[in-house]
Amino acid sequence: MGRKVKCKICSQQIDTDNAYCITKINENTGKKTNSYYCSEEEYLEDKEKKELWKKVLVAVDDILGYTCISKTKVNMIKEIEEHYSRKQLYNCLINNADEIKRYLEQKNIYEEYGRLSYIFSCVKNKIKDNSNNISFTTTQIETEDIIFETDEQIINRIDKEKERKTKGNIFDILDKINKNK
C-alpha cells in the first residue's frame, strides 16, 4: 500500500497506488512534480472544464473587441453558470456573437461595465432558447461525451442555427423597429 496523497480536484485522500498521476516538468528548473487525481475521468473532466472556461473568456473578449481583465466579467459568467452549463453559455455566446456586436455598436455603449452588462443581458435572454434549439442540456453533459468540433464544423452549425432562428428573434424585432424609425 502506497502513501496517502490528496486529489488535486476534490481534495480526497487516496493511496498513490490507486491514484491517477500526472508528472509535469518545470521548463526553467527541470524539476518534476506529480499531481494526483482520484481517476483519469475526473482529471479529464476537470481539464475540459478549464478549457471551456478559457473559451468562454475568449468569446466574451471577442465580442468586446479587446481583452477584458475585469472581475465583473468573471462574476457575470459565474452568475449564469448557476443556472446553465458552461457549454451552454459558450454555445450561446458563439451563436449570437455577431448580433450582440452589431447592437453594441448601434447603441454606442463605450464603457466596459455597460458593454459587459449588455452582453450578459443578451445571453440571459437568449440562452434558454439557444439551449433548447441545439438540444443540449446539463443532464446530457453528465451522460454524454463532449464532442470537439473543428472551426469549419462550428461555422456550419452556427449557419444552420441562424437559418432556423428567424421567427421571434429579439434581434430581428429590434431591426424592424430601427428600420421603422
Side-chain angles (χ1 to χ4, degrees), residues 76-169:
M76 289 179 175
I77 291 169
K78 287 181 179 179
E79 181 183 330
I80 291 174
E81 283 186 332
E82 290 175 9
H83 305 286
Y84 295 95
S85 72
R86 198 168 281 174
K87 185 71 172 176
Q88 288 172 309
L89 172 57
Y90 176 70
N91 284 333
C92 185
L93 285 166
I94 295 300
N95 290 338
N96 297 290
D98 292 338
E99 292 169 317
I100 295 171
K101 284 179 195 177
R102 189 173 78 233
Y103 281 102
L104 275 173
E105 214 172 275
Q106 284 181 356
K107 294 197 176 289
N108 296 324
I109 303 171
Y110 298 108
E111 294 176 359
E112 186 170 82
Y113 180 80
R115 293 174 69 82
L116 287 170
S117 295
Y118 188 81
I119 290 168
F120 285 101
S121 291
C122 290
V123 168
K124 287 176 187 175
N125 288 330
K126 296 291 287 176
I127 194 165
K128 184 163 179 59
D129 294 335
N130 194 271
S131 299
N132 289 339
N133 287 341
I134 58 174
S135 302
F136 194 87
T137 63
T138 53
T139 53
Q140 287 176 314
I141 290 176
E142 295 167 3
T143 58
E144 295 179 5
D145 292 332
I146 295 174
I147 299 171
F148 289 99
E149 297 176 302
T150 64
D151 288 345
E152 185 176 330
Q153 290 170 324
I154 291 171
I155 291 168
N156 288 337
R157 179 175 48 80
I158 290 170
D159 288 342
K160 287 178 185 175
E161 285 297 318
K162 283 181 181 176
E163 289 174 16
R164 290 182 5 172
K165 294 184 207 171
T166 54
K167 189 176 181 181
N169 184 333

